[in-house]
Amino acid sequence: GIKTPVKQPTDGKPLAVDNRTYNRLLRGLRWQGERGFAILVGRWKALRRTTISPRRIGDVVAAALHLTHFEYKHLTGSC
């Protein structure tokens, strides 16, 4: 499911420690997905503007992800 961060109270009080920790954990997970998406879109021109159906885009993104993983392994010499 989609998790949303806890908003700051309107009365100006700081968030509780549990809520701040929850928001920090969400932020830590979100940056990884955003970074991965940026790498894929930056590397694969086909993903920038696509008119493919939503049912098939998952296959295209999965293929781009596998190729990118292969490329990065090859470039770092860890193959």
Side-chain angles (χ1 to χ4, degrees):
I2 297 175
K3 305 288 184 187
T4 56
V6 178
K7 292 185 178 184
Q8 184 74 24
T10 56
D11 60 4
K13 292 182 182 177
L15 283 175
V17 175
D18 289 343
N19 291 338
R20 283 189 305 219
T21 304
Y22 175 77
N23 285 350
R24 187 172 293 164
L25 289 171
L26 284 179
R27 216 173 26 247
L29 292 173
R30 188 176 61 235
W31 79 265
Q32 295 173 5
E34 290 176 359
R35 174 74 175 136
F37 183 73
I39 288 172
L40 287 176
V41 171
R43 172 64 181 93
W44 301 102
K45 192 174 183 179
L47 296 177
R48 291 182 197 153
R49 284 197 185 134
T50 183
T51 57
I52 195 169
S53 73
R55 290 183 181 175
R56 297 193 56 216
I57 192 66
D59 295 335
V60 174
V61 172
L65 181 62
H66 287 296
L67 290 170
T68 303
H69 278 290
F70 175 77
E71 184 180 46
Y72 271 64
K73 275 187 177 179
H74 183 68
L75 291 176
T76 60
S78 64
C79 251

